[in-house]
Amino acid sequence: MRMIARRSKIFLFLVAMFLITACYAGEDNRPGEEAVIKVNGSLVTKKELEWITGQSGLESGVELSVKEQALAVRTRVIQLEAVKRSIPVPIGEKSFLEAMDVENLRRSKALENNEPIYGPKQYTEKPYYHSLMTKAERALKDKLRGKEIDSSQEKLLAYYEAHKDKLARKMDSYWLEALVEPGESHDARKRAELLLDRLSAGEPFEKLYAERRSLKGLTAEEQINDADRRNVEKYREALYEGIKDMKVGEVRLAVIQDQDSFKIIRCVKRQQGGYSSFEEVRDNVTERYLEQEFDRIVKQWIDLAEIKVYH
């Protein structure tokens, strides 16, 4: 009996020592799988960090930058909060790779059966990781809306008023005159630069404009307003950047390449564009407001998170 009792004590002692060692290793030693950071008990591995940051070949043992830490923490916090709200998100390197294998198998079978798929035939790690994160964020925003995020009409209107200039300001209307040198060749630019030299030397724009007006294609008159905004911003960026701060009567002393020609512009008239109504920009206002409030809540989660960085 004494021998049995002694063996029992030795066994219990060894178990206790094992548990103490395990706890110590878990708390103070760097875990396996090349973990770089732990967020609320959930490890982010070096491989995962590469998917999150879009980088490749991150070196082991190299201290994380502030940006890398912030991205890793934000990503993991969002994933954990999504799972809390029953949004399916694979958390961790192993779970993610298993989910990607399942998705790629589904795509292979769909192609074999001539069924439609959207996106690539087979996902690779980084694109699939970002695809899942985009879906998780969207689903989480939907869950938060009306609960943690107050998206009432009153809140949206207040946001619209506070950000009116950025979200609803219409493009001003401009009446322009231009000295034009047709073509995109080096010689055409040189001719335009010679005109610019004359203007810089003090010759009036009106004089040069009058000299060239009877010659086809060497002058132009144009009105640009908010209805042209999308086209001008997308396809005539140099012109838009050149005119948006111009005052009436001002000559832009620069050669602008625009629509297969080089131009020197004068603003003849300018009229303020006003603002789009709330209803006209409601969708954009709602999207921007939800993004702002989502970022605010994520910051709160991060502030409360338990974070450990492994060097």
Side-chain angles (χ1 to χ4, degrees), residues 34-74:
E34 295 188 304
V36 291
I37 196 165
K38 182 162 69 171
V39 183
N40 289 338
S42 178
L43 296 174
V44 178
T45 65
K46 185 184 74 166
K47 192 66 177 173
E48 236 186 313
L49 186 64
E50 290 182 358
W51 302 332
I52 291 167
T53 62
Q55 300 179 65
S56 297
L58 292 173
E59 296 180 31
S60 299
V62 176
E63 189 169 334
L64 298 183
S65 70
V66 173
K67 183 179 179 181
E68 288 167 344
Q69 287 185 37
L71 283 170
V73 171
R74 186 181 192 277

Side-chain angles (χ1 to χ4, degrees), residues 165-310:
D165 280 334
K166 187 174 182 180
L167 296 176
R169 178 72 182 267
K170 291 184 178 181
M171 181 179 174
D172 289 355
S173 295
Y174 300 86
W175 285 259
L176 307 172
E177 291 178 342
L179 304 176
V180 181
E181 282 298 340
E184 298 179 277
S185 67
H186 178 72
D187 288 343
R189 176 179 279 280
K190 274 293 188 185
R191 291 194 298 271
E193 289 173 350
L194 289 173
L195 290 172
L196 185 61
D197 290 342
R198 291 173 65 183
L199 289 168
S200 299
E203 284 193 62
F205 182 94
E206 294 84 353
K207 179 189 172 199
L208 272 64
Y209 192 86
E211 287 176 3
R212 301 162 64 85
R213 192 166 190 172
S214 61
L215 303 172
K216 185 178 180 181
L218 297 189
T219 61
E221 295 179 1
E222 185 174 12
Q223 181 184 350
I224 296 174
N225 55 38
D226 193 66
D228 309 306
R229 182 173 193 159
R230 183 170 297 180
N231 178 63
V232 172
E233 287 182 342
K234 188 172 183 180
Y235 300 110
R236 305 177 69 186
E237 184 180 356
L239 177 72
Y240 178 67
E241 291 299 321
I243 69 172
K244 65 182 182 181
D245 296 322
M246 290 184 75
K247 299 179 176 66
V248 175
E250 181 182 353
V251 177
R252 178 66 72 207
L253 291 176
V255 173
I256 297 171
Q257 188 170 1
D258 177 60
Q259 293 187 323
D260 303 326
S261 63
F262 294 98
K263 297 176 179 178
I264 300 172
I265 303 292
R266 181 169 87 102
C267 180
V268 179
K269 181 181 175 183
R270 178 172 177 171
Q271 182 176 310
Q272 284 194 341
Y275 295 93
S276 299
S277 69
F278 170 73
E279 289 302 329
E280 288 176 300
V281 294
R282 184 188 187 101
D283 289 347
N284 192 27
V285 168
T286 303
E287 182 181 346
R288 297 291 185 90
Y289 171 75
L290 290 176
E291 192 66 37
Q292 171 192 278
E293 291 302 291
F294 180 72
D295 286 343
R296 177 183 60 78
I297 290 173
V298 170
K299 185 179 182 302
Q300 291 175 353
W301 292 335
I302 291 170
D303 289 342
L304 295 172
E306 293 182 10
I307 300 163
K308 182 172 183 178
V309 180
Y310 298 97

Side-chain angles (χ1 to χ4, degrees), residues 120-162:
K121 292 180 180 179
Q122 292 283 282
Y123 269 113
T124 53
E125 292 166 358
K126 289 177 189 175
Y128 190 56
Y129 197 91
H130 284 277
S131 172
L132 290 184
M133 274 304 298
T134 299
K135 291 175 183 176
E137 283 199 28
R138 189 182 303 124
L140 190 51
K141 286 174 191 173
D142 289 341
K143 289 273 188 179
L144 295 174
R145 188 174 180 180
K147 296 176 182 176
E148 286 100 323
I149 296 178
D150 180 0
S151 57
S152 62
Q153 178 89 345
E154 182 183 357
K155 289 288 185 180
L156 294 176
L157 281 169
Y159 185 82
Y160 165 78
E161 291 296 336

